[in-house]
Amino acid sequence: MRRRDLLVGTAATAVAPGVAVADEAVEVDMRLVLAVDVSRSVDADEYALQKDGYARAFTDPRIVDAISSGPLRRIGVCYVEWAGAQMQRTPLDWTLADGPKACAEIAARIAALPYDAHRWTGVGAAMLYAAARLEASPFRSKRMVIDVSGDGRNNNGPAADLVRDQLVARGITINGLPIMGDAPNFGSPPDRDLDRWYEENVIGGPGAFVIAAQGFGDFARAVRQKLTREISALPAGLSHA
């Protein structure tokens, strides 16, 4: 991989207001940013399937058990949405997930989010934004993970592979959940190699992996498997989902 410093000014400072950092930050087993694609290639029904996938995952006993399996039995979760390089938002800022009640509240808040799509697909900018959310977290942990899900390649903003290299050098792990499809996307043929593109340009860091969803209807299964694996820090092939 190439290692190159990036000028991240606008992407790093265009951060949604976050919660204030306490004098003594709460220690958690991991800080997890879920970065969800809301570009216009994702229609209202597909957006609902993404939301439903995350909401169902956080109420799944396997995910709750995975969270409870760590030494501290809690993680910090931040849910962001992204499209082009100038559009990132944080509808669910840092929240402590430390048991069934907290996970159910996270699920309910995600399920209630409105559909609001925007132009372009800025994967690199989304990762920069997610990294800025990590820096603004009121939690502290050795493990820092960004999980990027989307149905297209970077076509706006900084190159995803250069951003990936910079963030990995800062100790951040990036996992990917590409959403594969058979239907044309805005007149273009379906991208049957999107999972390979994610492997080559998005993921990085210790234990980084890709789990592909075979269309939006498969998203809930892929999210459940991905969350179980990354929260439990399971090696490849040992996911319980």
Side-chain angles (χ1 to χ4, degrees):
M1 296 182 184
R2 290 169 290 176
R3 301 288 181 191
R4 187 182 304 174
D5 290 335
L6 301 178
L7 297 177
V8 300
T10 55
T13 55
V15 178
V19 295
V21 177
D23 291 339
E24 293 186 8
V26 175
E27 294 289 334
V28 293
D29 290 313
M30 70 180 295
R31 283 170 281 168
L32 174 63
V33 178
L34 304 171
V36 180
D37 182 1
V38 292
S39 59
R40 285 185 179 169
S41 60
V42 178
D43 65 26
D45 291 338
E46 292 167 341
Y47 177 70
L49 287 170
Q50 286 189 95
K51 287 196 309 174
D52 179 66
Y54 278 109
R56 288 168 58 187
F58 276 101
T59 55
D60 191 305
R62 288 166 288 191
I63 304 302
V64 178
D65 288 346
I67 292 171
S68 299
S69 68
L72 299 173
R73 304 173 63 86
R74 58 182 181 250
I75 67 171
V77 178
C78 179
Y79 183 97
V80 306
E81 296 179 339
W82 58 272
Q86 303 303 316
M87 207 306 290
Q88 303 93 27
R89 57 184 176 234
T90 308
L92 176 60
D93 213 338
W94 286 106
T95 303
L96 186 67
D98 60 354
K101 181 179 179 180
C103 288
E105 290 175 354
I106 290 171
R109 291 179 64 184
I110 292 173
L113 295 175
Y115 173 66
D116 182 19
H118 292 259
R119 296 181 61 192
W120 306 110
T121 303
V123 181
M127 291 191 290
L128 286 174
Y129 183 85
R133 300 311 307 141
L134 285 169
E135 293 295 328
S137 174
F139 306 118
R140 291 293 177 266
S141 63
K142 291 183 179 179
R143 291 184 63 208
M144 297 182 292
V145 178
I146 296 171
D147 195 284
V148 182
S149 62
D151 72 341
R153 306 186 186 206
N154 193 73
N155 60 25
N156 186 243
D161 61 335
L162 298 184
V163 174
R164 181 266 320 278
D165 292 352
Q166 178 195 1
L167 300 188
V168 168
R170 290 164 52 185
I172 299 170
T173 295
I174 306 163
N175 297 325
L177 201 169
I179 305 167
M180 314 294 287
D182 294 325
N185 192 339
F186 283 88
S188 300
D191 189 345
R192 303 188 189 280
D193 294 321
L194 183 61
D195 52 351
R196 182 178 301 176
W197 184 84
Y198 263 67
E199 289 174 354
E200 296 175 350
N201 296 275
V202 177
I203 71 167
F209 63 90
V210 165
I211 291 180
Q214 302 304 317
F216 283 90
D218 185 44
F219 191 80
R221 187 276 314 168
V223 165
R224 186 178 65 247
Q225 184 177 352
K226 171 194 67 68
L227 285 174
T228 304
R229 180 170 165 184
E230 64 196 354
I231 292 171
S232 303
L234 292 171
L238 293 181
S239 175
H240 299 312

